[in-house]
Amino acid sequence: MKFMVCPQCGITNFYLKNGKGERLNVKVTRDFKIVLVDKTKSLEGFNIKELFCLGCSWHGKLSELKKYFM
């Protein structure tokens, strides 16, 4: 499966935050679907409108992610 990458550093790993400040690690497919890294977790209560990169300081919307072409 191919994933979208951070527009700043190019990695595929992101996280979401909830109101308590907890983090949930995710990836985003090429058709902008959020995929949980830990399948036992749930997106419930997490803000899916803003992603945070695990590799750098970037944060933003799903629509800002880039496709990586080899």
Side-chain angles (χ1 to χ4, degrees):
M1 184 180 297
K2 295 189 178 193
F3 297 102
M4 301 299 281
V5 299
C6 172
Q8 187 169 301
C9 73
I11 70 166
T12 61
N13 299 316
F14 303 94
Y15 65 90
L16 303 173
K17 287 185 181 178
N18 64 12
K20 299 177 190 175
E22 298 170 325
R23 296 179 176 191
L24 180 65
N25 292 344
V26 298
K27 291 187 177 216
V28 180
T29 66
R30 291 280 178 98
D31 54 351
F32 295 102
K33 291 185 180 158
I34 295 174
V35 177
L36 298 170
V37 173
D38 182 352
K39 304 291 186 208
T40 65
K41 303 285 184 179
S42 169
L43 289 173
E44 189 173 331
F46 285 88
N47 179 4
I48 61 171
K49 295 184 189 240
E50 185 171 27
L51 290 165
F52 297 85
C53 180
L54 280 168
C56 68
S57 62
W58 181 87
H59 67 281
K61 300 176 184 177
L62 285 172
S63 61
E64 296 176 48
L65 297 178
K66 305 289 182 194
K67 289 184 180 176
Y68 179 74
F69 296 102
M70 296 180 113

